[in-house]
Amino acid sequence: MNRNIVVGIVVLAVVVAVGIAEVFFITNSFGQLREDCLDILTDVHNQTITSKQYDVFVEKWHSLREKGELLLPHADLYEINLRMAESAMYISDGSYKDAEAQLYIVVALLEYVPHLITPDFQHIF
């Protein structure tokens, strides 16, 4: 085989492998944070959430956000950031219903963002 063809095949294989790794990383990371958010939602609904519990959750989000900003559209991450900040304020005020509403939006966004980067024929056509 021609050397250029071999190099092209190797580069293509590396690009595909990195893309697959990216999808798995984002899907798993956002899925885990979604599960954590559902746990927080239960505590908010029961009005048993503490600021410390929520701060730990927010730290997990910040860690994921830093990694995600390399791979994802910033507008989607920014929206999650805003909702998390609003929820923190509502929790500190004791406005649990408002916090719950914001966190349901966070759950939906945590489901939606990985969907954005997953290759699908619906995205193409």
Side-chain angles (χ1 to χ4, degrees):
M1 260 193 210
N2 187 341
R3 183 171 185 233
N4 290 335
I5 293 174
V6 172
V7 170
I9 291 171
V10 168
V11 169
L12 179 63
V14 168
V15 169
V16 169
V18 169
I20 290 170
E22 173 188 8
V23 168
F24 280 117
F25 169 75
I26 293 296
T27 302
N28 291 337
S29 299
F30 274 74
Q32 181 58 52
L33 192 66
R34 180 186 171 278
E35 293 301 316
D36 293 345
C37 190
L38 289 172
D39 292 341
I40 293 293
L41 257 170
T42 300
D43 291 340
V44 169
H45 180 76
N46 295 332
Q47 298 183 3
T48 58
I49 187 79
T50 65
S51 293
K52 176 84 171 151
Q53 286 174 293
Y54 194 76
D55 290 344
V56 169
F57 174 63
V58 169
E59 285 303 315
K60 289 179 184 178
W61 161 243
H62 286 171
S63 175
L64 178 57
R65 184 191 69 199
E66 291 301 318
K67 297 170 191 155
E69 285 176 343
L70 295 170
L71 308 169
L72 297 167
H74 286 40
D76 300 315
L77 300 179
Y78 180 70
E79 183 67 25
I80 294 171
N81 225 31
L82 290 177
R83 301 297 178 159
M84 299 273 285
E86 285 183 84
S87 298
M89 192 62 211
Y90 289 137
I91 289 169
S92 70
D93 280 352
S95 302
Y96 296 108
K97 289 294 182 190
D98 293 328
E100 194 172 0
Q102 293 301 317
L103 288 171
Y104 272 113
I105 294 169
V106 170
V107 168
L109 289 168
L110 290 171
E111 291 172 1
Y112 177 70
V113 169
H115 170 76
L116 288 173
I117 67 156
T118 305
D120 192 344
F121 284 115
Q122 293 175 345
H123 295 154
I124 298 169
F125 298 107

